[in-house]
Amino acid sequence: LPQMSETELAESIRWEAEQYIPFDIEDVNLDYKILEGSSLSGDGSMDVLLAAAKKEKINDYVNVVSQAGLNTSTVDIASFAMQNAFEANYDFEPEQVVALVDIGAAVSSITVLYGGTSVYWRDINIGGNQYTDSIQKEMNLSGEQAERIKRGEEVEGIPYEQAMPILSAVNDDVASEIQKTLDFFKQISATDQALDRLYLTGGTAQVVHMKESLGERLGTQVELFNPFRKIPPAGKDASPELINEMMPTASVAVGLALRKPGD
């Protein structure tokens, strides 16, 4: 947006938001933040981070929390929560480009950070279910058996190596979608800055050879995102085995737990 004071922005943000939100403005909750010193355009304008969520969706979550006997203090967006967890556990270098990829069951979320600032997000309709469905179909297995082979186990005398071509094909699909996201980031940022590192999280992040496949396709270093890297869990039930088991799926939860009302 053109440079303006925070007071002027507060008065105009609703009108500005209507240009970007594909719903009736009365049906969404809005929030925003000026990203200081982060303009990618270099023309003296300012970048404003706009967040919006449908009121109906928020109410669904709030009702679930209420039914659990709790009160909702803060509502956040999953990709931002993941970034909060990342910032608490890892350091940034100036102009470093980092991608956070959360691979869920049906949808994967990609967040691109430039020098520690969020610059682009995208959800892709691909995830763990596609791996399972492909194995189940190609190898004529049950859903439970396909899940086990996906995790690298042997099933009914069938070594997981037999599923490698299937896993590799889906890995290629995931890598292709990530590459499209990174290419678009370069277009909007007008930079040729290469991706420095990619961090994987989510329940499907530990699919056999996924890290290696993505690293080779994207030409970058790929690591599993550890939300407990600098935040060691406390409590008698936090055994090393439990922490290791939770690590791939805990990034969003850790990021939400780091929030404080009003921050």
Side-chain angles (χ1 to χ4, degrees):
L1 298 173
Q3 287 285 350
M4 65 181 74
S5 68
E6 291 194 29
T7 300
E8 291 172 325
L9 180 61
E11 294 174 351
S12 63
I13 191 66
R14 188 178 179 86
W15 179 83
E16 296 285 356
E18 285 185 310
Q19 303 177 60
Y20 300 97
I21 296 172
F23 308 109
D24 189 318
I25 201 71
E26 298 295 334
D27 294 336
V28 301
N29 286 114
L30 296 173
D31 202 357
Y32 64 93
K33 182 175 179 59
I34 299 172
L35 301 179
E36 299 292 345
S38 65
S39 179
L40 295 171
S41 60
D43 60 359
S45 62
M46 64 181 188
D47 290 330
V48 178
L49 174 65
L50 177 69
K54 296 191 76 172
K55 293 177 180 178
E56 179 183 7
K57 180 65 69 173
I58 291 177
N59 289 338
D60 288 344
Y61 279 110
V62 171
N63 287 338
V64 170
V65 172
S66 298
Q67 291 172 28
L70 302 170
N71 295 318
T72 303
S73 64
T74 302
V75 176
D76 206 345
I77 292 175
S79 60
F80 295 166
M82 181 169 60
Q83 183 182 341
N84 290 341
F86 184 79
E87 290 177 349
N89 287 283
Y90 296 85
D91 299 319
F92 290 101
E93 298 293 336
E95 299 187 358
Q96 184 181 37
V97 179
V98 172
L100 309 179
V101 181
D102 183 7
I103 304 181
V107 177
S108 297
S109 173
I110 304 169
T111 301
V112 180
L113 311 178
Y114 181 64
T117 298
S118 303
V119 290
Y120 188 66
W121 311 263
R122 180 176 175 233
D123 287 342
I124 57 176
N125 293 320
I126 191 171
N129 291 345
Q130 186 159 342
Y131 289 89
T132 305
D133 293 345
S134 296
I135 293 172
Q136 187 176 0
K137 179 181 178 180
E138 296 294 331
M139 301 183 70
N140 195 26
L141 298 173
S142 68
E144 187 270 336
Q145 289 173 322
E147 279 286 334
R148 289 170 55 194
I149 281 195
K150 184 176 72 175
R151 294 194 297 265
E153 299 178 20
E154 181 176 303
V155 175
E156 304 295 335
I158 303 173
Y160 80 87
E161 286 85 358
Q162 287 191 19
M164 286 307 302
I166 303 170
L167 295 174
S168 295
V170 183
N171 282 340
D172 285 344
D173 291 341
V174 174
S176 176
E177 292 297 328
I178 295 174
Q179 186 65 66
K180 291 178 184 177
T181 301
L182 297 175
D183 290 343
F184 189 75
F185 156 71
K186 290 181 179 180
Q187 291 179 18
I188 64 171
S189 62
T191 178
D192 290 328
Q193 185 79 22
L195 178 65
D196 294 292
R197 190 163 297 186
L198 184 147
Y199 292 88
L200 278 176
T201 187
T204 310
Q206 291 182 310
V207 165
V208 178
H209 296 318
M210 175 180 283
K211 285 197 306 179
E212 295 77 8
S213 177
L214 293 180
E216 181 178 350
R217 171 70 179 268
L218 301 172
T220 192
Q221 185 172 346
V222 179
E223 296 182 21
L224 285 179
F225 175 20
N226 181 3
F228 305 122
R229 187 168 179 259
K230 292 184 180 179
I231 308 176
K236 62 181 180 180
D237 296 327
S239 66
E241 293 78 13
L242 178 62
I243 294 171
N244 188 62
E245 181 182 341
M246 290 176 57
M247 187 180 76
T249 58
S251 60
V252 171
V254 170
L256 289 171
L258 290 167
R259 288 294 308 273
K260 301 182 183 68
D263 65 4

